[in-house]
Amino acid sequence: MKFLISNWKMNGDVEFAENFFEKINSVKTKNRIIVCPPFPLLYKFQNFAHSLGSQNCSAKTNGAFTGEVSPLLLKDFGCEYVIIGHSERRRMFKESDEIIFAKYNTLVELGITPIVCVGENEDEKSEWREVLLIQLHKFMNDGNLSKAIIAYEPVWSIGSGKTPTMDEIYKVLNFLKETTHFSCPTIYGGSVNINNIEDILKIPPVDGVLIGGASLRIAEFSKMIQSSSQI
Ligand code: PGA
């Protein structure tokens, strides 16, 4: 079973959500499809045949935190997964490894699966090992890591159309498997599309993919689900 996670980012509206639901709801697969729309569109996914996730959450469950969204509320809306530590949040919203770890702990406590994103940026390409070790430092020996998913997303490949070579993905995901003592699924994200999804999913340590742009092209995403069902 592979994970195909659709990260809409800050895209989509009510009409798009309705179209997406209608087309994707009826696609059958043995793999796990997880759709992560913006918060206000979660209500459009009641009775969805696949799984629901969110793109972020607060590390707290309630209180005076204006503008934050409680993971408890996300659970009420049917979210079984939450993406945390996406590079866009690390970079633009200054999320630290500490805050990401706090979110992870809250999610695990609530029985929601954290999808923890890690990855090096363009300047750090040659030091990817060191970067990943720093980002994963707190997680490595955590007894709850089996309840998470680790997503390797090289920052330079997100939305750029550039991906690492298959051999590079193999190397990094193997490293992640070893670092996390083979305790949790490890997935790849960054410019995954209809042309490369099968090759990427066939790499042994790759348990799934995190898809941004291509998952917003509904027909393409539907084909991606179908073609990955043979793997
Ligand atoms: P992309 O985004 O597929 O558009 O590169 C992936 C992500 O940011 O999760």
Side-chain angles (χ1 to χ4, degrees):
M1 194 273 289
K2 305 276 186 187
F3 294 92
L4 271 71
I5 306 174
S6 162
N7 174 13
W8 292 19
K9 312 195 179 189
M10 202 174 72
N11 295 297
D13 55 16
V14 170
E15 193 186 343
F16 178 82
E18 286 168 355
N19 283 334
F20 188 100
F21 184 106
E22 194 191 312
K23 304 266 166 35
I24 303 301
N25 198 47
S26 55
V27 184
K28 301 264 182 296
T29 174
K30 64 175 171 46
N31 290 325
R32 173 76 45 90
I33 311 305
I34 305 166
V35 177
C36 305
F39 296 128
L41 293 174
L42 288 169
Y43 80 103
K44 281 280 160 196
F45 287 83
Q46 304 290 315
N47 304 316
F48 191 42
H50 305 288
S51 302
L52 198 56
S54 122
Q55 301 170 22
N56 183 29
C57 70
S58 171
K60 310 279 188 202
T61 50
N62 54 51
F65 303 104
T66 302
E68 288 290 276
V69 175
S70 164
L72 256 184
L73 187 58
L74 294 172
K75 199 174 172 179
D76 269 357
F77 271 73
C79 288
E80 296 172 82
Y81 300 84
V82 175
I83 299 171
I84 53 173
H86 191 283
S87 64
E88 286 152 16
R89 298 216 57 87
R90 289 177 189 263
R91 198 175 71 243
M92 294 187 258
F93 303 99
K94 309 281 174 266
E95 285 195 11
S96 63
D97 291 324
E98 286 69 32
I99 185 76
I100 295 161
F101 192 61
K103 291 180 184 195
Y104 159 89
N105 281 317
T106 306
L107 289 168
V108 167
E109 214 165 282
L110 293 174
I112 301 172
T113 304
I115 302 165
V116 185
C117 299
V118 293
E120 81 286 0
N121 64 35
E122 184 94 54
D123 301 335
E124 300 163 332
K125 256 182 175 174
S126 57
E127 301 130 50
W128 60 265
R129 273 190 191 78
E130 290 77 7
V131 172
L132 297 185
L133 284 177
I134 291 169
Q135 291 173 342
L136 284 171
H137 177 69
K138 290 195 162 58
F139 296 87
M140 274 174 331
N141 294 311
D142 187 88
N144 286 317
L145 198 55
S146 60
K147 296 176 183 144
I149 296 172
I150 305 287
Y152 170 58
E153 295 207 302
V155 180
W156 51 271
S157 97
I158 296 176
S160 65
K162 291 185 233 156
T163 58
T165 63
M166 299 301 133
D167 191 48
E168 283 164 345
I169 296 177
Y170 175 82
K171 251 192 220 139
V172 179
L173 276 266
N174 245 348
F175 174 78
L176 285 181
K177 286 269 182 226
E178 278 163 20
T179 306
T180 57
H181 311 294
F182 297 84
S183 58
C184 64
T186 48
I187 67 172
Y188 169 79
S191 295
V192 178
N193 59 41
I194 187 69
N195 299 318
N196 59 22
I197 187 166
E198 285 186 51
D199 288 342
I200 293 173
L201 285 176
K202 280 180 190 154
I203 304 171
V206 174
D207 297 310
V209 282
L210 183 45
I211 314 162
S215 73
L216 291 167
R217 299 188 288 272
I218 301 174
E220 178 170 348
F221 186 50
S222 166
K223 275 194 205 133
M224 290 167 87
I225 299 173
Q226 282 157 358
S227 68
S228 62
S229 285
Q230 335 303 338
I231 298 163

